[in-house]
Amino acid sequence: MSSLPAIATFQPLYQQIKALITEALRAGEWRPGQAIPSEVELAARFGVSQGTVRKAVDALAAEHLLLRRQGKGTYVASHHEAPAAFRFLRIVADDGTPIEMDSTVLACRRLRAPGEVARALEQRTGEQAVQVQRRLSIGGRPLVFEELWLPGSRFRGLSAERLADYKGPMYALFEAEFDTRMIRASERLRSVAAEGAAASALGVARGTPLLLVDRRSYTYQDRPVEVRRGWYLTRGHHYADELS
Amino acid sequence: MSSLPAIATFQPLYQQIKALITEALRAGEWRPGQAIPSEVELAARFGVSQGTVRKAVDALAAEHLLLRRQGKGTYVASHHEAPAAFRFLRIVADDGTPIEMDSTVLACRRLRAPGEVARALEQRTGEQAVQVQRRLSIGGRPLVFEELWLPGSRFRGLSAERLADYKGPMYALFEAEFDTRMIRASERLRSVAAEGAAASALGVARGTPLLLVDRRSYTYQDRPVEVRRGWYLTRGHHYADELS
DNA sequence: AAGTGGTCTAGACCACTTT
DNA sequence: AAGTGGTCTAGACCACTTC
């Protein structure tokens, strides 16, 4: 006879299993790119049937936390693999050409987080944060200017050099070096006139229309870990979105 | 003994059931807002187990073609209900205020579809199409100017009057009056300078930054049935997107 | 009480991958 | 041959809605 759960905490078994697996992922029990135990093993570990584990894993795969590979096993999703990388890169050439952008790091400073940033990151006001500014170009032509803020505690040791030396998506670096995997993000898009740092970094006249993208990114269990603002030059490229 | 499927048409039973249900939806066997038969009835009709029907219905519910309601039944999704309406309306006030836009129909003409439009709608070039132009305002302040093209054959009888008289989302009208339910859409976003018809409809100076949204909408079985271009004034409002 | 979808189990067999 | 996830079935019971 096991103890009963407290009122209002009833939830289906498979959701409890899902939460346990998510917690193991957050704790780093299995690394991105690695296989997690088989369904049979997980069923034994949690004391439920394979069907229940399957339903939990299905849900996590639908959220892109896990990746199922028939005959091989179930893997922890990673930003080192193409499918994950493109989910967070929505800018696309008008003719469908795959894009390959070069990153130039313009700044990487440790500062006290401004109030708005601290709130978004759920930090105490004035706590340390890392500010990064960079430009993304394609064949020498500037396309994006970005400024992002990260919680200082999570990103100790992040520097302009490490950002510049790293080949591949920034989120892959965060995952590999700072144990921080971006799971989802919410964005707000606006059209604005170029000015200030964005205009000069992109080399366009003030007043040029730019797509302004404000992003908040979250890691496991919906913890916010990045605030990002990007200015996109949408000449020959566009932001792609699927509504369904 | 039933006949064997041809080579390369093997697919899981539940996907075949899913296709059969989709075809019934396309054919209008059950109307938007109505309940479809219960899982037990569908299982009997198709000669499979309830579990297999369940998996097919789960997939269709995940694609928002169906809506499950515990204890009541499974319903055909409808643009007359809030959840569906908001999936295709991504513009949101910065402070989160729910928005209520007034539509002013500026034009509704039957024309020969331009080449690009005809291609997008998979029509023969020169076939008839309906062009609609309208302005969306919020409290008297213009927010969006839109131009959209629909295949003439599907939208016989569509007129400026019917558009103007109808209360509610345009897709609800299309669903109720023209048997055409928009299922999904893909959009391309750019930042552009206001000019021409968009500038005058929105009452802004030429050169004002606008968010340009190009949309293609599809009905059952991925048939394209709408091409739409919208110019959004993003002052106090933004386009919201979730990446996951 | 009866009907609906939601959960959980157990077992069989299939498709794919690796050894 | 052995191990993985993928499909399909059958049956039990639960939660919610309606009569």
Side-chain angles (χ1 to χ4, degrees):
Chain A
M1 203 49 198
S2 62
S3 62
L4 294 172
I7 288 177
T9 62
F10 290 112
Q11 53 176 340
L13 244 189
Y14 78 89
Q15 286 191 20
Q16 300 177 36
I17 305 301
K18 186 186 163 203
L20 290 172
I21 296 175
T22 304
E23 170 54 22
L25 288 167
R26 188 206 58 75
E29 182 170 345
W30 315 299
R31 317 291 305 173
Q34 287 187 341
I36 70 170
S38 73
E39 294 180 351
V40 176
E41 287 172 306
L42 289 173
R45 164 166 167 179
F46 297 123
V48 299
S49 78
Q50 185 179 349
T52 299
V53 167
R54 173 178 300 275
K55 203 164 177 191
V57 171
D58 278 346
L60 291 169
E63 294 172 19
H64 307 114
L65 300 206
L66 298 175
L67 199 66
R68 314 195 75 144
R69 293 192 184 128
Q70 190 176 11
K72 302 188 71 171
T74 299
Y75 294 75
V76 182
S78 164
H79 285 284
H80 292 270
E81 291 153 34
F86 282 106
R87 289 214 325 280
F88 291 91
L89 177 62
R90 305 291 286 273
I91 196 85
V92 167
D94 288 344
D95 59 10
T97 309
I99 72 172
E100 189 74 40
M101 292 195 287
D102 303 314
S103 167
T104 306
V105 178
L106 305 174
C108 180
R109 318 182 180 99
R110 310 189 91 78
L111 304 168
R112 292 196 331 187
E116 198 183 345
V117 169
R119 265 190 303 281
L121 295 178
E122 294 178 6
Q123 289 187 308
R124 290 180 295 279
T125 24
E127 206 168 332
Q128 203 188 48
V130 184
Q131 182 209 50
V132 177
Q133 294 179 328
R134 65 169 183 168
R135 175 176 48 222
L136 298 172
S137 310
I138 182 162
R141 289 193 8 212
L143 204 70
V144 182
F145 170 69
E146 276 183 333
E147 172 177 296
L148 52 102
W149 293 86
L150 304 160
S153 51
R154 229 178 228 274
F155 288 88
R156 286 185 212 294
L158 180 61
S159 65
E161 292 70 41
R162 282 180 95 167
L163 281 167
D165 292 348
Y166 191 80
K167 304 303 171 198
M170 186 183 277
Y171 284 172
L173 169 66
F174 292 172
E175 167 185 307
E177 306 279 328
F178 300 95
D179 278 347
T180 300
R181 223 189 96 69
M182 304 300 184
I183 297 300
R184 67 171 196 90
S186 75
E187 294 192 334
R188 296 178 159 208
L189 285 71
R190 291 182 187 80
S191 182
V192 300
E195 57 177 43
S200 46
L202 292 172
V204 297
R206 293 183 40 137
T208 303
L210 297 177
L211 182 63
L212 179 68
V213 181
D214 278 315
R215 174 188 292 189
R216 286 189 194 185
S217 308
Y218 301 81
T219 187
Y220 294 112
Q221 295 161 342
D222 261 333
R223 278 190 176 64
V225 285
E226 181 200 46
V227 179
R228 181 188 291 225
R229 172 166 284 184
W231 288 260
Y232 293 71
L233 196 51
T234 52
R235 290 181 185 156
H237 291 75
H238 61 268
Y239 182 101
D241 193 16
E242 294 292 323
L243 315 189
S244 54
Chain B
M1 200 53 196
S2 63
S3 63
L4 294 172
I7 289 176
T9 63
F10 291 112
Q11 52 176 342
L13 243 188
Y14 78 89
Q15 286 191 19
Q16 299 177 36
I17 305 302
K18 185 185 163 202
L20 291 171
I21 296 175
T22 303
E23 170 53 23
L25 289 168
R26 188 206 59 75
E29 183 170 343
W30 315 299
R31 317 291 305 173
Q34 288 187 342
I36 70 170
S38 73
E39 294 180 350
V40 176
E41 287 172 305
L42 288 173
R45 163 166 168 177
F46 296 124
V48 300
S49 78
Q50 185 179 351
T52 299
V53 167
R54 173 177 301 274
K55 203 164 177 190
V57 171
D58 278 346
L60 292 169
E63 293 171 20
H64 307 114
L65 300 206
L66 297 176
L67 199 65
R68 315 195 74 146
R69 293 191 184 131
Q70 190 175 11
K72 302 188 70 172
T74 300
Y75 294 76
V76 182
S78 164
H79 285 284
H80 292 270
E81 292 153 35
F86 283 107
R87 290 215 324 281
F88 290 92
L89 177 62
R90 305 292 285 273
I91 198 84
V92 167
D94 288 344
D95 60 11
T97 308
I99 71 172
E100 190 72 38
M101 292 195 286
D102 302 314
S103 166
T104 307
V105 179
L106 306 173
C108 180
R109 318 181 179 100
R110 310 190 90 78
L111 303 169
R112 292 195 331 187
E116 198 183 345
V117 169
R119 265 191 303 282
L121 296 178
E122 294 177 8
Q123 288 187 309
R124 289 181 295 281
T125 25
E127 205 167 332
Q128 204 188 47
V130 183
Q131 183 210 49
V132 177
Q133 294 178 330
R134 65 169 183 168
R135 175 179 46 222
L136 298 173
S137 309
I138 182 162
R141 286 190 16 209
L143 205 70
V144 182
F145 170 68
E146 276 184 332
E147 173 177 297
L148 51 101
W149 293 85
L150 304 160
S153 51
R154 227 179 230 274
F155 289 87
R156 287 186 212 294
L158 179 61
S159 64
E161 292 69 41
R162 282 180 96 164
L163 282 168
D165 292 347
Y166 191 82
K167 302 302 168 201
M170 187 183 279
Y171 285 173
L173 170 66
F174 292 173
E175 168 185 306
E177 307 278 328
F178 301 95
D179 278 348
T180 299
R181 222 187 97 70
M182 305 299 184
I183 297 300
R184 68 170 195 90
S186 76
E187 294 192 334
R188 296 177 160 209
L189 285 71
R190 291 182 187 80
S191 182
V192 300
E195 58 176 45
S200 44
L202 292 172
V204 296
R206 293 184 39 135
T208 303
L210 298 177
L211 182 62
L212 178 69
V213 181
D214 278 316
R215 173 188 292 189
R216 288 188 192 186
S217 309
Y218 302 81
T219 186
Y220 294 114
Q221 294 160 344
D222 261 333
R223 279 190 175 64
V225 286
E226 181 199 46
V227 180
R228 180 188 290 224
R229 172 166 286 183
W231 288 261
Y232 294 70
L233 196 51
T234 53
R235 289 181 187 156
H237 292 76
H238 61 268
Y239 182 102
D241 193 17
E242 293 293 322
L243 315 189
S244 54

